[in-house]
Amino acid sequence: MKRFIYSLIAGSLLFASCKNFLDVTPDSLSPSNYYKTDEDINTALTGVYDVLGKTATYGRYLYFEMDVSDESFPASSSWTQDVALFNYDPGDIKLTATWNTLYDGINRANMLLDNIDKSNLTTEKRRVAKGEALFLRAYYYFLLVQNWGSVPMRLTAAKDPNDVNIAKTPYKTIYEQIVKDMEIAADSVNGIDKYNYTGRVSKSAVWGILARVNLKMAGAPLRDVSRYAEARKWAAKVMEAANGHNLNPDYKDVFKKMAADQYDKKEVIWEVEFGLKNGTQDEGGAVGGVNGIGTPNSEIFTKTIGFSYGVQHPTDRYVKLFEAGDVRKDWSVSNYTYNGEGGKVYTPPTLTNYARFAAKWRREYETAGPKFLNTTAINFPLLRYSDVLLMFAEADNEINGPTVDGIAAVNTVRRRAYARPLKTITLTNGGSGYATAPTVVIGGPGSGATATATVSGGKVTSVTLNEIGLGYNTIPTITFDPGPGNPGSGATATAEIYTVDGVLTPEMTANRDAFREVIRAERSRELGFEGLRRFDLVRWGQWVPVMKNLANEIATTAPANYVYAARSGQNISNRDTLLAIPSKEVSLNQSLIQNPGW
């Protein structure tokens, strides 16, 4: 929920729409008589944050259309032209909206930074507000250079509407400014312990994003390997933070909390907040609505469980990336669909992986009501502690090779993933006299596992393990409860658990190259569908070849009705390492040169 936004005054109305990002001024309020009071500054700062929740950013585009990778594909065979398919022209509306939205956020931050010293805020409040605005401006530039490379950089608000001809700032210069601003912000913003929600920028958030920025600078295209030490340093600061960060013991619970208006500050360090206000949608996102388990468009789903288009599907390659016993698989990728009444129908193992859904965010756990058809109140994570651990390990390995500290960081993530789930339930005696299927009761000490029995001729004929659960450190007992009025008895079954604990083997950490590959695969398993995979593949210099290889794999092995999933990789070329600069922007800014290949 927009806890932070609600605590201030909505600031989005302060800023006018404009024809060009360089021409952004307040609609009716002059800076000379505004930016005076706490309310003025809070309103302006809210406007800077507000950009994070737009459809063109984390409302949808940055984690769906603009993060198509080897993890997922847009499951609509009717799509033939889209940014997600790398088949678009520079006039594409999604492309233009994202560019304009990010520059709008930058100009909002610049307006605040230009004028905040005129306010009557206390020194402490001014320092914190400045730090948040500086960081957000830097973060928006970070998103721009990730996607477009060198772009025009302006560090003060536009004052002349005719001053639109600004050339690209060198890529390296922009990154140096991003780091500078974020490092100032790190000393200025509050610690995460000051808040009971995670929609606001905190020291932990700044440190963690600084690790991400420096990892990008160490990778393609800058390849400044000195930045690995900086990435390691900033990730370590999060790991050593006095308030303490750690992982939620239950991977599934991380995402359930995002849907249920609960904050998990130990793990989810920074997130975009969406929500309802006075019973109406207040800039809702599409989290769980576009990338959830697909549902029928009927009243039970639109009003109760929550409707999802289910347009994001995993690739077969991604599903197979998970190892046996990894509890993240059946949460990240759906192992059930819904019937028309809202009941769960568990998918058989023979179902093609392409037909499954990206399923981290499930609307059945969304607690805010009413539930809307096209928008949701589910939050989206920008930085999780597991990401920090993996960034630390990656940077440490590039500097030192496998070390005790780097291995420990990865093992922390993997131990949670291999949390002793059930492996199988085997029927040993079908019993007799069952009029209906009995309830399968799975004993402790673990939790969360579920199974269903099938009856024929009065006997239990099979048991299907549906949810594998976690925490089964010893083999649980399996019993069958016939329920009232059911005369059946005598059915027995045994369980088997996964005993792997996820700890890295010596082969996985034999040398720098081996450990590097482990970390890269672990990032995908842990952070899949969180808007980071394309970013990772580009900085590793693997983007185009990975996508081309994936396209060939899909075209030659996928079922005939899913070969369209290869379109993104088939269309991709070297120019798609960067997005095209919107054609409208190029026409307005005579000093702006289009990206190569466009």
Side-chain angles (χ1 to χ4, degrees):
M1 301 303 173
K2 291 199 166 184
R3 193 69 50 88
F4 169 57
I5 300 297
Y6 294 168
S7 70
L8 303 174
I9 298 174
S12 58
L13 296 179
L14 276 177
F15 304 92
S17 298
C18 53
K19 296 180 180 180
N20 182 277
F21 79 88
L22 297 170
D23 177 21
V24 184
T25 53
D27 191 20
S28 59
L29 298 171
S30 169
S32 62
N33 53 33
Y34 196 67
Y35 300 101
K36 298 292 187 182
T37 66
D38 280 16
E39 183 178 356
D40 294 343
I41 299 303
N42 286 341
T43 301
L45 186 57
T46 300
V48 183
Y49 272 95
D50 188 57
V51 166
L52 291 169
K54 300 296 186 183
T55 298
T57 52
Y58 293 104
R60 172 168 166 158
Y61 296 168
L62 289 180
Y63 61 79
F64 180 45
E65 284 93 340
M66 294 182 179
D67 193 51
V68 171
S69 68
D70 58 342
E71 292 177 345
S72 67
F73 65 96
S76 176
S77 59
S78 63
W79 280 21
T80 58
Q81 186 173 4
D82 194 86
V83 172
L85 301 177
F86 306 106
N87 183 25
Y88 65 96
D89 62 63
D92 183 89
I93 59 173
K94 295 176 183 176
L95 185 84
T96 304
T98 302
W99 172 281
N100 288 344
T101 299
L102 291 172
Y103 270 114
D104 185 25
I106 288 166
N107 203 74
R108 294 180 184 198
N110 282 337
M111 288 286 289
L112 175 58
L113 292 167
D114 288 352
N115 293 283
I116 191 171
D117 287 336
K118 303 171 186 176
S119 71
N120 57 17
L121 267 67
T122 65
T123 301
E124 173 68 10
K125 287 183 177 180
R126 187 182 298 122
R127 176 182 61 80
V128 172
K130 269 187 176 181
E132 292 178 53
L134 264 180
F135 173 80
L136 290 169
R137 182 181 72 180
Y139 187 71
Y140 297 149
Y141 272 123
F142 181 45
L143 294 176
L144 281 165
V145 293
Q146 276 183 53
N147 288 289
W148 282 279
S150 297
V151 296
M153 182 171 67
R154 169 163 261 165
L155 302 179
T156 58
K159 296 177 176 62
D160 181 353
N162 298 312
D163 181 18
V164 297
N165 296 319
I166 298 181
K168 292 179 179 179
T169 302
Y171 188 82
K172 184 178 179 181
T173 302
I174 299 175
Y175 267 106
E176 288 170 347
Q177 186 67 46
I178 289 169
V179 169
K180 176 183 176 182
D181 285 351
M182 287 189 177
E183 288 184 350
I184 293 171
D187 291 331
S188 303
V189 301
N190 286 324
I192 198 169
D193 57 301
K194 297 290 186 180
Y195 309 113
N196 59 5
Y197 51 92
T198 50
R200 194 159 185 172
V201 173
S202 66
K203 289 186 182 298
S204 295
V206 177
W207 296 336
I209 298 299
L210 269 166
R212 185 180 295 169
V213 169
N214 279 284
L215 274 182
K216 173 61 176 174
M217 296 174 74
L222 280 180
R223 300 192 184 280
D224 179 359
V225 296
S226 69
R227 290 291 169 173
Y228 282 121
E230 287 296 295
R232 185 190 187 281
K233 176 186 76 176
W234 292 111
K237 285 184 74 68
V238 182
M239 294 161 67
E240 298 161 1
N243 55 287
H245 289 284
N246 53 47
L247 300 182
N248 185 322
D250 185 350
Y251 184 77
K252 301 185 297 295
D253 192 52
V254 176
F255 305 97
K256 289 179 182 179
K257 280 184 163 60
M258 291 177 201
D261 191 23
Q262 298 175 20
Y263 295 91
D264 191 356
K265 292 196 305 180
K266 296 295 185 181
E267 166 141 359
V268 183
I269 296 170
W270 188 31
E271 61 190 309
V272 183
E273 299 184 81
F274 298 99
L276 307 179
K277 185 176 182 181
N278 299 326
T280 60
Q281 192 72 39
D282 182 80
E283 197 176 86
V287 185
V290 68
N291 57 346
I293 299 175
T295 67
N297 185 1
S298 62
E299 185 172 352
I300 190 170
F301 291 101
T302 57
K303 300 289 182 65
T304 308
I305 293 174
F307 173 75
S308 177
Y309 290 95
V311 189
Q312 188 177 34
H313 283 216
T315 61
D316 182 70
R317 175 185 293 192
Y318 185 62
V319 178
K320 291 177 178 176
L321 182 65
F322 291 92
E323 300 162 333
D326 190 334
V327 301
R328 295 172 297 191
K329 175 183 174 182
D330 283 350
W331 185 260
S332 298
V333 178
S334 65
N335 67 335
Y336 63 82
T337 56
Y338 300 100
N339 61 27
E341 291 73 46
K344 295 179 181 178
V345 179
Y346 286 87
T347 55
T350 55
L351 182 71
T352 176
N353 288 326
Y354 294 102
R356 300 175 191 271
F357 299 94
K360 277 189 170 178
W361 297 277
R362 308 185 183 194
R363 296 200 68 183
E364 63 189 88
Y365 297 100
E366 184 182 354
T367 54
K371 294 185 178 181
F372 289 83
L373 178 65
N374 293 315
T375 55
T376 80
I378 301 175
N379 292 353
F380 185 82
L382 298 178
L383 179 69
R384 294 197 291 117
Y385 186 54
S386 54
D387 186 8
V388 173
L389 292 170
L390 294 172
M391 288 192 290
F392 173 86
E394 181 179 349
D396 185 63
N397 183 57
E398 295 300 329
I399 299 166
N400 306 306
T403 65
V404 171
D405 289 341
I407 293 169
V410 176
N411 277 336
T412 298
V413 176
R414 285 176 62 87
R415 281 194 182 95
R416 175 177 67 176
Y418 297 84
R420 297 299 178 101
L422 290 195
K423 185 176 184 179
T424 60
I425 295 178
T426 302
L427 183 68
T428 55
N429 190 323
S432 62
Y434 290 99
T436 57
T439 301
V440 182
V441 180
I442 302 170
S447 63
T450 64
T452 53
T454 301
V455 167
S456 178
K459 294 183 178 182
V460 175
T461 55
S462 66
V463 179
T464 302
L465 178 61
N466 297 325
E467 301 288 346
I468 59 177
L470 76 163
Y472 293 95
N473 295 315
T474 58
I475 296 174
T477 58
I478 307 297
T479 57
F480 295 86
D481 180 4
N486 189 347
S489 64
T492 60
T494 59
E496 183 182 2
I497 61 174
Y498 285 102
T499 56
V500 60
D501 59 10
V503 172
L504 296 168
T505 65
E507 291 77 17
M508 291 175 170
T509 59
N511 52 53
R512 179 183 280 109
D513 291 343
F515 194 29
R516 180 188 295 128
E517 293 309 309
V518 167
I519 294 168
R520 290 179 176 181
E522 201 60 38
R523 284 189 63 79
S524 189
R525 285 187 283 257
E526 176 69 21
L527 304 168
F529 315 135
E530 295 183 38
L532 294 171
R533 182 61 173 175
R534 180 174 180 268
F535 165 74
D536 281 344
L537 289 172
V538 169
R539 69 184 177 88
W540 294 331
Q542 298 180 338
W543 170 239
V544 174
V546 163
M547 293 300 291
K548 285 295 185 186
N549 180 269
L550 175 70
N552 181 64
E553 179 183 304
I554 294 172
T556 55
T557 65
N561 58 327
Y562 281 103
V563 293
Y564 72 86
R567 287 176 181 166
S568 297
Q570 290 168 338
N571 293 334
I572 203 169
S573 65
N574 287 331
R575 74 176 186 178
D576 294 301
T577 301
L578 298 175
L579 298 175
I581 296 174
S583 55
K584 184 176 181 181
E585 201 62 42
V586 175
S587 67
L588 288 169
N589 182 349
Q590 299 301 306
S591 298
L592 190 58
I593 299 172
Q594 181 59 271
N595 280 335
W598 294 97

